[in-house]
Structures are given as C-alpha cells and as structure tokens.
Amino acid sequence: MSKYHAVKTICDGIVFDSKREARRWSELKLLQKARLISDLERQVKYDISVNDTFICSYRADFTYTVGKAFVCEDSKGAKTRAYILKRKLMKAVHGITIRET
C-alpha cells in the first residue's frame, strides 16, 4: 500500500496504481466499446518545458476523445502539491485542462 493508501490493482492484465484507476479504465473501455469515446490511451507522458528548459514530466492516467474534444484525465484521490503544480503547468504550457475523476 502506498502512503496515500492506494492499492495496486490488476485489470485486463494491466497493473494500475489504484483500484480507482482500474475501475475508471473499465468504465472508459465500455464507453469506447459503445463508441461514446475514441482513441483511449493510458499513461500518456507530457514533457513540460519553459523557455527551452525542461522542468518536469506529467503522466496522464488516460487520454481520449469525446466527439471532437480531447480529454486528459487523472484518477485522483489525494492531490499532492506536486500534482497541483503540474496541473497548472499543463494548462500554461500545453493548454490542456486535466479532468479529475
């Protein structure tokens, strides 16, 4: 168990960092099968640089498309200071608002 009480969980043969993330993966897979979303991916990495200086990376739990809208999603339990900063940087640098579930 992690310090935030997340329990690693296996779903579809994939190890997820938490039960919440695994459950959300199952929901998104059903939505994709029903063709309500498309282009579902997990653990998409974004490098964050400012003025050509690498600052950090952010790894999205899931990305997908709803209609023509791109969604970057994070299954969040505890919002750490590092996560809050990366969320702000993702908006400022990439123009991406992270959806939290």
Side-chain angles (χ1 to χ4, degrees):
M1 187 180 308
S2 76
K3 69 180 182 180
Y4 298 106
H5 306 290
V7 177
K8 292 211 181 266
T9 304
I10 298 174
C11 178
D12 295 337
I14 303 166
V15 178
F16 291 89
D17 289 335
S18 68
K19 289 179 183 180
R20 177 191 310 257
E21 188 179 339
R23 187 172 43 250
R24 185 61 179 151
W25 171 254
S26 294
E27 292 168 357
L28 291 171
K29 293 275 290 189
L30 287 173
L31 290 172
Q32 182 165 264
K33 189 172 183 177
R35 298 182 184 211
L36 297 173
I37 68 169
S38 60
D39 306 315
L40 177 61
E41 293 186 57
R42 58 179 301 276
Q43 298 297 306
V44 178
K45 182 181 174 188
Y46 293 89
D47 287 335
I48 299 172
S49 298
V50 177
N51 298 329
D52 296 324
T53 301
F54 175 78
I55 304 299
C56 61
S57 293
Y58 168 73
R59 192 170 302 271
D61 288 338
F62 311 108
T63 62
Y64 53 92
T65 305
V66 179
K68 295 185 183 214
F70 172 77
V71 178
C72 179
E73 184 175 303
D74 205 299
S75 296
K76 264 300 154 221
K79 293 180 189 171
T80 64
R81 292 164 93 189
Y83 166 75
I84 292 168
L85 180 59
K86 288 181 180 187
R87 179 182 65 194
K88 291 176 183 178
L89 285 167
M90 283 290 287
K91 180 67 174 172
V93 174
H94 294 292
I96 295 173
T97 300
I98 299 169
R99 178 183 290 176
E100 297 167 352
T101 57

